[in-house]
Amino acid sequence: MNKKKNGIGFIAMILIIAILAACGSTDGASDSEKEESAAEKNDNELVFGQINWAENIAVTNMWKVILEDKGFDVKLNILNMGTTMKALETGDIDASLEIWLPVQDANYLEKYQDTVNFSEATWFDNAKVGLVVPTYVEEVNSVEDLNEHKELFDGKIVGFDPGAGTMEVTEQLIKDYGLDFELQQSSEAAMLAEIQEAVKDNEPIVAPLWSPHWVFSQFDLKFLEDPQNTFGGVEKIHHATRQGFEDDNPEVSEWLKNWKMDDKQIGELIDYVESAEDPYTGAEKWVSENEDLIGEWVK
């Protein structure tokens, strides 16, 4: 009996060793295969930074629709501008679709030009940035008029996200003109809500804004003259990618460089996205109605 038990135990031990060896062989010998498999799994995954600005939400969702139609898995990470640039530098995201140059995001270009790829291609060539007031504020037509009418605005400029290039340029504008005003930080949504409330009550308000933006189709606003040109003239909108993105995704890189939109197209896209139940659905509808245009980008 003892010999039988010992025999059975020996056989069982051999079987267990064989199974463990097989498992160990799979885990050890397949490390490189696992890496290859993980790489294959993530080959079609792209991560874009999304900033909570109307036009940024619109174009990131538009590209998510376009690229997912091409078989890519696109994730959108909601970040502010400063974090977006750091994430591009570290490779945590693949692309940011909105870089305003030569003025608004010049600080980011200077800081990250050696570690982030700023595309020379532009997708919008007629952008404008500046301080705006409602058109019924007839006393103020230039930045130089603001101090004289400080009481109309309670000495405040209603701003949006801290760290945004336009906010930093607005701070510079306050210095350049010696404005006795405080720039308030909030979010784009909060800033737009204040503009809406002010217009509804026919009250004065001053805020930094940019075109293209849907708000100009909703309210009568005017850009203030900027004689010192602190905000710059016409801005162009570029995209930026992490280093190595073009090598890893040559096709997508080329498509982004081919991307061009005019005022009407971006305005309509923003309207579709703003009007839909969710941004992706609005972008999906716009993409379906603009296949010829998109075909020019995605060749």
Side-chain angles (χ1 to χ4, degrees):
M1 288 292 291
N2 287 341
K3 286 184 180 178
K4 254 184 159 181
K5 284 182 180 176
N6 288 342
I8 292 169
F10 181 76
I11 291 168
M13 184 174 67
I14 293 296
L15 286 171
I16 290 168
I17 290 170
I19 290 168
L20 289 173
C23 291
S25 164
T26 302
D27 285 345
S30 64
D31 277 348
S32 60
E33 291 174 9
K34 280 182 175 180
E35 288 174 10
E36 287 174 12
S37 173
E40 278 180 13
K41 184 178 178 183
N42 294 319
D43 265 353
N44 286 335
E45 182 178 294
L46 298 172
V47 183
F48 286 2
Q50 177 181 290
I51 304 171
N52 277 329
W53 305 336
E55 75 285 354
N56 198 286
I57 293 169
V59 297
T60 50
N61 278 276
M62 177 194 74
W63 274 107
K64 180 175 170 67
V65 172
I66 293 169
L67 292 171
E68 288 187 343
D69 284 347
K70 295 291 183 181
F72 290 90
D73 176 19
V74 182
K75 301 188 183 307
L76 304 180
N77 280 4
I78 300 174
L79 308 167
N80 63 33
M81 189 62 184
T83 309
T84 294
M85 298 310 300
K86 290 177 185 174
L88 282 173
E89 182 179 48
T90 58
D92 290 331
I93 64 173
D94 291 300
S96 173
L97 301 181
E98 191 171 358
I99 307 292
W100 289 55
L101 294 172
V103 175
Q104 305 307 310
D105 292 321
N107 57 328
Y108 292 116
L109 176 62
E110 182 179 357
K111 183 175 181 179
Y112 293 99
Q113 59 187 333
D114 295 329
T115 54
V116 171
N117 176 40
F118 291 85
S119 175
E120 292 183 6
T122 61
W123 61 265
F124 191 79
D125 293 333
N126 193 32
K128 181 175 175 61
V129 183
L131 291 184
V132 303
V133 300
T135 53
Y136 54 73
V137 183
E138 297 178 357
E139 304 95 323
V140 179
N141 294 292
S142 169
V143 175
E144 294 179 322
D145 299 331
L146 286 172
N147 274 343
E148 185 181 349
H149 300 283
K150 174 185 171 183
E151 73 286 349
L152 286 176
F153 307 99
D154 295 326
K156 68 179 182 180
I157 297 171
V158 179
F160 56 106
D161 308 69
T166 296
M167 287 288 282
E168 295 191 6
V169 176
T170 304
E171 290 282 11
Q172 184 60 49
L173 179 113
I174 290 172
K175 294 176 184 176
D176 289 349
Y177 287 88
L179 298 181
D180 190 16
F181 276 71
E182 177 190 355
L183 177 60
Q184 295 186 327
Q185 298 178 349
S186 58
S187 66
E188 182 192 9
M191 177 182 72
L192 295 175
E194 287 206 44
I195 291 173
Q196 182 176 16
E197 192 66 24
V199 171
K200 176 185 170 185
D201 296 335
N202 209 47
E203 294 288 339
I205 189 170
V206 58
L209 261 175
W210 56 93
S211 173
H213 200 295
W214 62 265
V215 71
F216 291 97
S217 66
Q218 298 292 317
F219 309 116
D220 289 328
L221 305 171
K222 62 183 179 184
F223 280 104
L224 297 184
E225 293 173 10
D226 174 16
Q228 296 189 39
N229 210 32
T230 301
F231 276 112
V234 173
E235 290 276 280
K236 297 179 184 291
I237 309 181
H238 304 245
H239 69 276
T241 56
R242 63 169 173 81
Q243 288 193 339
F245 177 80
E246 188 168 1
D247 292 334
D248 295 339
N249 301 277
E251 201 171 35
V252 178
S253 183
E254 191 62 30
W255 294 344
L256 289 174
K257 290 175 185 176
N258 293 336
W259 171 31
K260 285 280 188 183
M261 301 183 83
D262 61 25
D263 288 276
K264 182 179 178 183
Q265 290 157 352
I266 186 63
E268 186 182 65
L269 172 62
I270 292 171
D271 183 54
Y272 275 40
V273 168
E274 291 279 330
S275 303
E277 289 185 7
D278 65 86
Y280 187 87
T281 302
E284 202 170 29
K285 180 183 177 186
W286 187 87
V287 167
S288 71
E289 294 179 8
N290 289 272
E291 291 180 356
D292 290 343
L293 173 64
I294 293 162
E296 294 175 12
W297 312 336
V298 184
K299 296 177 182 176

